[in-house]
Amino acid sequence: MRHYTLPVSPKTVHWGYFSKAVTPALTLKSGDRATIETLTHHANDDYERMIRDDPGAEAVFRWTREEKPVWRRGAGSVEPPFTYGPGEGLGVHLMTGPVAIEGAEPGDVLEVRVLDVRPRPSCSACYAGRCFGSNASANWGFHYHDLIEEPKPREVVTIYELDTSGEPVAKPVYNYVWTPQTDPDGVVHPTIDYPGVRVDHALVQHRENILPGVRVPARLHFGTMGLAPSEAEFVSTIPPNYTGGNIDDWRIGKGVRMYYPVAVEGAFFSVGDPHAAQGDSELNGTAIETSLTGDFEFILHKRDDLEGTILEGLDHPLLENDRQWSVYGFTFPNYLQTLGPEGQATVAEHASLDLAMRDAFRKLRRFLMTTRGFSEDEAVSLMSVAADFGITQVVDANWGVHGSIRKDLFT
């Protein structure tokens, strides 16, 4: 076993997409481990707390009229004219990687073990050693067209501080209503529509003393983690898919084992969208977006060795921890296959929890019949009386439902 470190820098991150076409930032063998730094794409919601004097974050987020080291942000066009900028924000998450796995081939399964997760402390002199995150009640949130107070619609950013002195909790600090922001290229952003735009706090009004007495239990996890799909060279990080991606399940944290079907040679694993806390549904658009560092172990399971294991026939992400297995249903199990490459921009038009629930049911039924040898009638009965189905997210275009089954049901 070898252990590597992958820090964040303009050379080790890619912004807003999974890709089989970019040069890997790191190449590992099965059994290797890696410490991987990740940054939240919402750090510029409060530059002073989450970017200033942090060399890695400053380098990645640097954007002036003369310089933009991470030039492409999203899987959209890189040929002008632009509406927002290169990549067009079709995909928003800052991803570290890709990490290539030697010997990985389509049909294999990559197991990713999350051994530990740690928050990235502020380097700013005023906040050194403290950890912060941002929650955006955004235009893609489930709530956005169902507001009851004025002004409406509106986008609101809430800044939290992560207290790790005891049992980790997130404490609300202040919030502000998004006002139009102008980026260094002169583009005005009336809404949160392109990642990495720095908020000018002279243009927003801080509202202090919010959510008095509230402490949110921390659930450090990675919202977006997975492999490159085969259907296109650049694929938006927003809709989750059969190789993983933006699943946004708070259970994908320390101690979890995630299994992903390999779609391209080398697997091309990337991780980002780090979260301090999130509830099922991620209703308003985001979690508490913060920067995290994780320790990972990578195990490659070859196609010829899958028969008779829990990975037999696996063509979707699977979660395992000490207590349960979880499958993930989406509106479309493989939206790129169903809708074509243009589905990256159009899948949200078809978002449906009915279809996601149907997909989760079918995946958990197959899992129980294949791995436990149950008949269909046995599997369906067990799911109804003992499985838990929950809404993973309703904000990532390809909506999600997770189906979980406890290990202690089986002797």
PDB file of all heavy atoms in Angstrom, residues 314-340:
ATOM      1  N   LEU A 314     -23.718  -4.918 -10.708  1.00  0.00           N
ATOM      2  CA  LEU A 314     -23.864  -3.531 -10.270  1.00  0.00           C
ATOM      3  C   LEU A 314     -23.634  -2.563 -11.433  1.00  0.00           C
ATOM      4  O   LEU A 314     -22.575  -2.557 -12.051  1.00  0.00           O
ATOM      5  CB  LEU A 314     -22.869  -3.221  -9.149  1.00  0.00           C
ATOM      6  CG  LEU A 314     -23.056  -1.869  -8.465  1.00  0.00           C
ATOM      7  CD1 LEU A 314     -24.312  -1.872  -7.599  1.00  0.00           C
ATOM      8  CD2 LEU A 314     -21.829  -1.512  -7.617  1.00  0.00           C
ATOM      9  N   ASP A 315     -24.650  -1.733 -11.716  1.00  0.00           N
ATOM     10  CA  ASP A 315     -24.523  -0.723 -12.769  1.00  0.00           C
ATOM     11  C   ASP A 315     -24.962   0.647 -12.252  1.00  0.00           C
ATOM     12  O   ASP A 315     -25.424   1.489 -13.019  1.00  0.00           O
ATOM     13  CB  ASP A 315     -25.331  -1.120 -14.010  1.00  0.00           C
ATOM     14  CG  ASP A 315     -26.818  -1.275 -13.732  1.00  0.00           C
ATOM     15  OD1 ASP A 315     -27.241  -1.088 -12.564  1.00  0.00           O
ATOM     16  OD2 ASP A 315     -27.567  -1.575 -14.686  1.00  0.00           O
ATOM     17  N   HIS A 316     -24.786   0.872 -10.954  1.00  0.00           N
ATOM     18  CA  HIS A 316     -25.194   2.122 -10.324  1.00  0.00           C
ATOM     19  C   HIS A 316     -24.389   2.278  -9.039  1.00  0.00           C
ATOM     20  O   HIS A 316     -23.776   1.318  -8.552  1.00  0.00           O
ATOM     21  CB  HIS A 316     -26.694   2.096 -10.006  1.00  0.00           C
ATOM     22  CG  HIS A 316     -27.114   0.937  -9.164  1.00  0.00           C
ATOM     23  ND1 HIS A 316     -26.973   0.907  -7.800  1.00  0.00           N
ATOM     24  CD2 HIS A 316     -27.666  -0.271  -9.505  1.00  0.00           C
ATOM     25  CE1 HIS A 316     -27.416  -0.248  -7.328  1.00  0.00           C
ATOM     26  NE2 HIS A 316     -27.851  -0.982  -8.342  1.00  0.00           N
ATOM     27  N   PRO A 317     -24.372   3.472  -8.436  1.00  0.00           N
ATOM     28  CA  PRO A 317     -23.658   3.642  -7.171  1.00  0.00           C
ATOM     29  C   PRO A 317     -24.316   2.843  -6.045  1.00  0.00           C
ATOM     30  O   PRO A 317     -25.537   2.723  -5.980  1.00  0.00           O
ATOM     31  CB  PRO A 317     -23.764   5.147  -6.903  1.00  0.00           C
ATOM     32  CG  PRO A 317     -24.133   5.768  -8.206  1.00  0.00           C
ATOM     33  CD  PRO A 317     -24.921   4.741  -8.947  1.00  0.00           C
ATOM     34  N   LEU A 318     -23.481   2.317  -5.164  1.00  0.00           N
ATOM     35  CA  LEU A 318     -23.943   1.558  -4.002  1.00  0.00           C
ATOM     36  C   LEU A 318     -23.165   2.022  -2.785  1.00  0.00           C
ATOM     37  O   LEU A 318     -21.937   2.124  -2.829  1.00  0.00           O
ATOM     38  CB  LEU A 318     -23.722   0.055  -4.215  1.00  0.00           C
ATOM     39  CG  LEU A 318     -23.992  -0.874  -3.022  1.00  0.00           C
ATOM     40  CD1 LEU A 318     -25.480  -0.933  -2.710  1.00  0.00           C
ATOM     41  CD2 LEU A 318     -23.444  -2.278  -3.295  1.00  0.00           C
ATOM     42  N   LEU A 319     -23.874   2.308  -1.692  1.00  0.00           N
ATOM     43  CA  LEU A 319     -23.247   2.692  -0.424  1.00  0.00           C
ATOM     44  C   LEU A 319     -23.282   1.526   0.534  1.00  0.00           C
ATOM     45  O   LEU A 319     -24.285   0.808   0.629  1.00  0.00           O
ATOM     46  CB  LEU A 319     -23.986   3.894   0.177  1.00  0.00           C
ATOM     47  CG  LEU A 319     -23.572   4.377   1.574  1.00  0.00           C
ATOM     48  CD1 LEU A 319     -23.774   5.896   1.694  1.00  0.00           C
ATOM     49  CD2 LEU A 319     -24.348   3.672   2.707  1.00  0.00           C
ATOM     50  N   GLU A 320     -22.189   1.352   1.251  1.00  0.00           N
ATOM     51  CA  GLU A 320     -22.145   0.386   2.347  1.00  0.00           C
ATOM     52  C   GLU A 320     -21.459   1.035   3.535  1.00  0.00           C
ATOM     53  O   GLU A 320     -20.421   1.684   3.402  1.00  0.00           O
ATOM     54  CB  GLU A 320     -21.381  -0.871   1.939  1.00  0.00           C
ATOM     55  CG  GLU A 320     -21.317  -1.917   3.048  1.00  0.00           C
ATOM     56  CD  GLU A 320     -20.500  -3.151   2.702  1.00  0.00           C
ATOM     57  OE1 GLU A 320     -19.817  -3.134   1.657  1.00  0.00           O
ATOM     58  OE2 GLU A 320     -20.530  -4.118   3.475  1.00  0.00           O
ATOM     59  N   ASN A 321     -22.045   0.889   4.715  1.00  0.00           N
ATOM     60  CA  ASN A 321     -21.350   1.217   5.951  1.00  0.00           C
ATOM     61  C   ASN A 321     -21.579   0.088   6.939  1.00  0.00           C
ATOM     62  O   ASN A 321     -22.073  -0.984   6.562  1.00  0.00           O
ATOM     63  CB  ASN A 321     -21.792   2.587   6.499  1.00  0.00           C
ATOM     64  CG  ASN A 321     -23.291   2.673   6.774  1.00  0.00           C
ATOM     65  OD1 ASN A 321     -23.925   1.679   7.147  1.00  0.00           O
ATOM     66  ND2 ASN A 321     -23.858   3.862   6.612  1.00  0.00           N
ATOM     67  N   ASP A 322     -21.236   0.291   8.188  1.00  0.00           N
ATOM     68  CA  ASP A 322     -21.335  -0.804   9.153  1.00  0.00           C
ATOM     69  C   ASP A 322     -22.767  -1.227   9.430  1.00  0.00           C
ATOM     70  O   ASP A 322     -23.005  -2.330   9.930  1.00  0.00           O
ATOM     71  CB  ASP A 322     -20.666  -0.401  10.475  1.00  0.00           C
ATOM     72  CG  ASP A 322     -19.156  -0.261  10.338  1.00  0.00           C
ATOM     73  OD1 ASP A 322     -18.600  -0.817   9.371  1.00  0.00           O
ATOM     74  OD2 ASP A 322     -18.549   0.425  11.183  1.00  0.00           O
ATOM     75  N   ARG A 323     -23.733  -0.366   9.088  1.00  0.00           N
ATOM     76  CA  ARG A 323     -25.129  -0.632   9.453  1.00  0.00           C
ATOM     77  C   ARG A 323     -26.017  -1.015   8.282  1.00  0.00           C
ATOM     78  O   ARG A 323     -27.015  -1.700   8.468  1.00  0.00           O
ATOM     79  CB  ARG A 323     -25.720   0.605  10.138  1.00  0.00           C
ATOM     80  CG  ARG A 323     -24.997   1.041  11.378  1.00  0.00           C
ATOM     81  CD  ARG A 323     -25.547   2.348  11.940  1.00  0.00           C
ATOM     82  NE  ARG A 323     -25.498   3.413  10.939  1.00  0.00           N
ATOM     83  CZ  ARG A 323     -24.402   4.111  10.647  1.00  0.00           C
ATOM     84  NH1 ARG A 323     -23.260   3.838  11.259  1.00  0.00           N
ATOM     85  NH2 ARG A 323     -24.424   5.077   9.749  1.00  0.00           N
ATOM     86  N   GLN A 324     -25.695  -0.547   7.073  1.00  0.00           N
ATOM     87  CA  GLN A 324     -26.665  -0.699   5.991  1.00  0.00           C
ATOM     88  C   GLN A 324     -26.008  -0.662   4.623  1.00  0.00           C
ATOM     89  O   GLN A 324     -24.836  -0.330   4.469  1.00  0.00           O
ATOM     90  CB  GLN A 324     -27.691   0.446   6.064  1.00  0.00           C
ATOM     91  CG  GLN A 324     -27.088   1.818   5.763  1.00  0.00           C
ATOM     92  CD  GLN A 324     -28.074   2.951   5.955  1.00  0.00           C
ATOM     93  OE1 GLN A 324     -28.839   2.956   6.918  1.00  0.00           O
ATOM     94  NE2 GLN A 324     -28.058   3.913   5.049  1.00  0.00           N
ATOM     95  N   TRP A 325     -26.834  -1.039   3.631  1.00  0.00           N
ATOM     96  CA  TRP A 325     -26.535  -0.785   2.226  1.00  0.00           C
ATOM     97  C   TRP A 325     -27.579   0.203   1.704  1.00  0.00           C
ATOM     98  O   TRP A 325     -28.742   0.170   2.128  1.00  0.00           O
ATOM     99  CB  TRP A 325     -26.625  -2.065   1.399  1.00  0.00           C
ATOM    100  CG  TRP A 325     -25.587  -3.095   1.704  1.00  0.00           C
ATOM    101  CD1 TRP A 325     -24.270  -3.089   1.336  1.00  0.00           C
ATOM    102  CD2 TRP A 325     -25.793  -4.331   2.407  1.00  0.00           C
ATOM    103  NE1 TRP A 325     -23.633  -4.230   1.784  1.00  0.00           N
ATOM    104  CE2 TRP A 325     -24.534  -5.010   2.442  1.00  0.00           C
ATOM    105  CE3 TRP A 325     -26.899  -4.918   3.034  1.00  0.00           C
ATOM    106  CZ2 TRP A 325     -24.379  -6.245   3.060  1.00  0.00           C
ATOM    107  CZ3 TRP A 325     -26.743  -6.153   3.642  1.00  0.00           C
ATOM    108  CH2 TRP A 325     -25.500  -6.809   3.656  1.00  0.00           C
ATOM    109  N   SER A 326     -27.171   1.075   0.794  1.00  0.00           N
ATOM    110  CA  SER A 326     -28.104   2.002   0.167  1.00  0.00           C
ATOM    111  C   SER A 326     -27.880   2.019  -1.337  1.00  0.00           C
ATOM    112  O   SER A 326     -26.730   2.040  -1.800  1.00  0.00           O
ATOM    113  CB  SER A 326     -27.932   3.432   0.706  1.00  0.00           C
ATOM    114  OG  SER A 326     -28.281   3.516   2.062  1.00  0.00           O
ATOM    115  N   VAL A 327     -28.989   2.021  -2.078  1.00  0.00           N
ATOM    116  CA  VAL A 327     -28.938   2.228  -3.529  1.00  0.00           C
ATOM    117  C   VAL A 327     -29.528   3.599  -3.824  1.00  0.00           C
ATOM    118  O   VAL A 327     -30.263   4.171  -3.007  1.00  0.00           O
ATOM    119  CB  VAL A 327     -29.715   1.133  -4.281  1.00  0.00           C
ATOM    120  CG1 VAL A 327     -29.127  -0.241  -4.009  1.00  0.00           C
ATOM    121  CG2 VAL A 327     -31.203   1.170  -3.932  1.00  0.00           C
ATOM    122  N   TYR A 328     -29.214   4.117  -5.005  1.00  0.00           N
ATOM    123  CA  TYR A 328     -29.660   5.460  -5.364  1.00  0.00           C
ATOM    124  C   TYR A 328     -30.475   5.419  -6.642  1.00  0.00           C
ATOM    125  O   TYR A 328     -29.993   5.002  -7.696  1.00  0.00           O
ATOM    126  CB  TYR A 328     -28.457   6.391  -5.531  1.00  0.00           C
ATOM    127  CG  TYR A 328     -27.709   6.556  -4.232  1.00  0.00           C
ATOM    128  CD1 TYR A 328     -26.586   5.783  -3.944  1.00  0.00           C
ATOM    129  CD2 TYR A 328     -28.168   7.447  -3.272  1.00  0.00           C
ATOM    130  CE1 TYR A 328     -25.933   5.903  -2.734  1.00  0.00           C
ATOM    131  CE2 TYR A 328     -27.517   7.579  -2.048  1.00  0.00           C
ATOM    132  CZ  TYR A 328     -26.396   6.803  -1.791  1.00  0.00           C
ATOM    133  OH  TYR A 328     -25.756   6.922  -0.577  1.00  0.00           O
ATOM    134  N   GLY A 329     -31.725   5.834  -6.502  1.00  0.00           N
ATOM    135  CA  GLY A 329     -32.595   5.951  -7.661  1.00  0.00           C
ATOM    136  C   GLY A 329     -32.625   7.382  -8.150  1.00  0.00           C
ATOM    137  O   GLY A 329     -32.590   8.324  -7.356  1.00  0.00           O
ATOM    138  N   PHE A 330     -32.673   7.550  -9.464  1.00  0.00           N
ATOM    139  CA  PHE A 330     -32.738   8.870 -10.076  1.00  0.00           C
ATOM    140  C   PHE A 330     -33.916   8.927 -11.041  1.00  0.00           C
ATOM    141  O   PHE A 330     -34.439   7.895 -11.483  1.00  0.00           O
ATOM    142  CB  PHE A 330     -31.449   9.175 -10.838  1.00  0.00           C
ATOM    143  CG  PHE A 330     -30.194   9.018 -10.023  1.00  0.00           C
ATOM    144  CD1 PHE A 330     -29.204   8.127 -10.406  1.00  0.00           C
ATOM    145  CD2 PHE A 330     -30.013   9.752  -8.856  1.00  0.00           C
ATOM    146  CE1 PHE A 330     -28.052   7.972  -9.654  1.00  0.00           C
ATOM    147  CE2 PHE A 330     -28.862   9.613  -8.105  1.00  0.00           C
ATOM    148  CZ  PHE A 330     -27.873   8.718  -8.499  1.00  0.00           C
ATOM    149  N   THR A 331     -34.324  10.141 -11.394  1.00  0.00           N
ATOM    150  CA  THR A 331     -35.357  10.289 -12.422  1.00  0.00           C
ATOM    151  C   THR A 331     -35.001   9.457 -13.635  1.00  0.00           C
ATOM    152  O   THR A 331     -35.838   8.730 -14.177  1.00  0.00           O
ATOM    153  CB  THR A 331     -35.506  11.763 -12.820  1.00  0.00           C
ATOM    154  OG1 THR A 331     -35.907  12.520 -11.668  1.00  0.00           O
ATOM    155  CG2 THR A 331     -36.552  11.921 -13.916  1.00  0.00           C
ATOM    156  N   PHE A 332     -33.729   9.543 -14.061  1.00  0.00           N
ATOM    157  CA  PHE A 332     -33.209   8.713 -15.143  1.00  0.00           C
ATOM    158  C   PHE A 332     -31.964   7.995 -14.637  1.00  0.00           C
ATOM    159  O   PHE A 332     -31.002   8.656 -14.235  1.00  0.00           O
ATOM    160  CB  PHE A 332     -32.845   9.553 -16.372  1.00  0.00           C
ATOM    161  CG  PHE A 332     -34.014  10.282 -16.991  1.00  0.00           C
ATOM    162  CD1 PHE A 332     -34.147  11.649 -16.850  1.00  0.00           C
ATOM    163  CD2 PHE A 332     -34.979   9.591 -17.714  1.00  0.00           C
ATOM    164  CE1 PHE A 332     -35.216  12.332 -17.414  1.00  0.00           C
ATOM    165  CE2 PHE A 332     -36.058  10.262 -18.273  1.00  0.00           C
ATOM    166  CZ  PHE A 332     -36.181  11.624 -18.125  1.00  0.00           C
ATOM    167  N   PRO A 333     -31.947   6.655 -14.628  1.00  0.00           N
ATOM    168  CA  PRO A 333     -30.771   5.933 -14.159  1.00  0.00           C
ATOM    169  C   PRO A 333     -29.498   6.333 -14.902  1.00  0.00           C
ATOM    170  O   PRO A 333     -28.426   6.398 -14.307  1.00  0.00           O
ATOM    171  CB  PRO A 333     -31.130   4.466 -14.417  1.00  0.00           C
ATOM    172  CG  PRO A 333     -32.622   4.429 -14.458  1.00  0.00           C
ATOM    173  CD  PRO A 333     -33.042   5.738 -15.030  1.00  0.00           C
ATOM    174  N   ASN A 334     -29.625   6.589 -16.211  1.00  0.00           N
ATOM    175  CA  ASN A 334     -28.515   7.081 -17.024  1.00  0.00           C
ATOM    176  C   ASN A 334     -29.086   8.152 -17.950  1.00  0.00           C
ATOM    177  O   ASN A 334     -29.524   7.866 -19.057  1.00  0.00           O
ATOM    178  CB  ASN A 334     -27.868   5.948 -17.827  1.00  0.00           C
ATOM    179  CG  ASN A 334     -26.666   6.403 -18.640  1.00  0.00           C
ATOM    180  OD1 ASN A 334     -26.483   7.593 -18.900  1.00  0.00           O
ATOM    181  ND2 ASN A 334     -25.833   5.451 -19.056  1.00  0.00           N
ATOM    182  N   TYR A 335     -29.114   9.383 -17.471  1.00  0.00           N
ATOM    183  CA  TYR A 335     -29.779  10.437 -18.239  1.00  0.00           C
ATOM    184  C   TYR A 335     -29.045  10.738 -19.537  1.00  0.00           C
ATOM    185  O   TYR A 335     -29.653  11.154 -20.531  1.00  0.00           O
ATOM    186  CB  TYR A 335     -29.946  11.697 -17.398  1.00  0.00           C
ATOM    187  CG  TYR A 335     -28.693  12.522 -17.239  1.00  0.00           C
ATOM    188  CD1 TYR A 335     -28.401  13.546 -18.139  1.00  0.00           C
ATOM    189  CD2 TYR A 335     -27.798  12.289 -16.207  1.00  0.00           C
ATOM    190  CE1 TYR A 335     -27.247  14.304 -18.007  1.00  0.00           C
ATOM    191  CE2 TYR A 335     -26.660  13.030 -16.069  1.00  0.00           C
ATOM    192  CZ  TYR A 335     -26.375  14.044 -16.971  1.00  0.00           C
ATOM    193  OH  TYR A 335     -25.223  14.781 -16.840  1.00  0.00           O
ATOM    194  N   LEU A 336     -27.731  10.528 -19.579  1.00  0.00           N
ATOM    195  CA  LEU A 336     -26.982  10.775 -20.814  1.00  0.00           C
ATOM    196  C   LEU A 336     -27.378   9.785 -21.900  1.00  0.00           C
ATOM    197  O   LEU A 336     -27.462  10.132 -23.078  1.00  0.00           O
ATOM    198  CB  LEU A 336     -25.481  10.682 -20.542  1.00  0.00           C
ATOM    199  CG  LEU A 336     -24.883  11.811 -19.702  1.00  0.00           C
ATOM    200  CD1 LEU A 336     -23.468  11.452 -19.277  1.00  0.00           C
ATOM    201  CD2 LEU A 336     -24.905  13.117 -20.465  1.00  0.00           C
ATOM    202  N   GLN A 337     -27.629   8.561 -21.498  1.00  0.00           N
ATOM    203  CA  GLN A 337     -28.067   7.552 -22.458  1.00  0.00           C
ATOM    204  C   GLN A 337     -29.486   7.820 -22.921  1.00  0.00           C
ATOM    205  O   GLN A 337     -29.811   7.684 -24.107  1.00  0.00           O
ATOM    206  CB  GLN A 337     -27.977   6.161 -21.819  1.00  0.00           C
ATOM    207  CG  GLN A 337     -28.325   5.008 -22.743  1.00  0.00           C
ATOM    208  CD  GLN A 337     -28.237   3.682 -22.011  1.00  0.00           C
ATOM    209  OE1 GLN A 337     -29.086   3.353 -21.190  1.00  0.00           O
ATOM    210  NE2 GLN A 337     -27.172   2.947 -22.277  1.00  0.00           N
ATOM    211  N   THR A 338     -30.364   8.235 -22.013  1.00  0.00           N
ATOM    212  CA  THR A 338     -31.769   8.451 -22.342  1.00  0.00           C
ATOM    213  C   THR A 338     -32.000   9.737 -23.127  1.00  0.00           C
ATOM    214  O   THR A 338     -32.748   9.743 -24.108  1.00  0.00           O
ATOM    215  CB  THR A 338     -32.617   8.485 -21.057  1.00  0.00           C
ATOM    216  OG1 THR A 338     -32.409   7.273 -20.322  1.00  0.00           O
ATOM    217  CG2 THR A 338     -34.096   8.627 -21.379  1.00  0.00           C
ATOM    218  N   LEU A 339     -31.348  10.816 -22.695  1.00  0.00           N
ATOM    219  CA  LEU A 339     -31.606  12.134 -23.270  1.00  0.00           C
ATOM    220  C   LEU A 339     -30.516  12.604 -24.227  1.00  0.00           C
ATOM    221  O   LEU A 339     -30.703  13.615 -24.905  1.00  0.00           O
ATOM    222  CB  LEU A 339     -31.761  13.167 -22.147  1.00  0.00           C
ATOM    223  CG  LEU A 339     -32.852  12.892 -21.106  1.00  0.00           C
ATOM    224  CD1 LEU A 339     -32.820  13.948 -20.026  1.00  0.00           C
ATOM    225  CD2 LEU A 339     -34.230  12.832 -21.769  1.00  0.00           C
ATOM    226  N   GLY A 340     -29.387  11.898 -24.265  1.00  0.00           N
ATOM    227  CA  GLY A 340     -28.275  12.346 -25.093  1.00  0.00           C
ATOM    228  C   GLY A 340     -27.455  13.399 -24.368  1.00  0.00           C
ATOM    229  O   GLY A 340     -27.806  13.851 -23.273  1.00  0.00           O
TER     230      GLY A 340
END
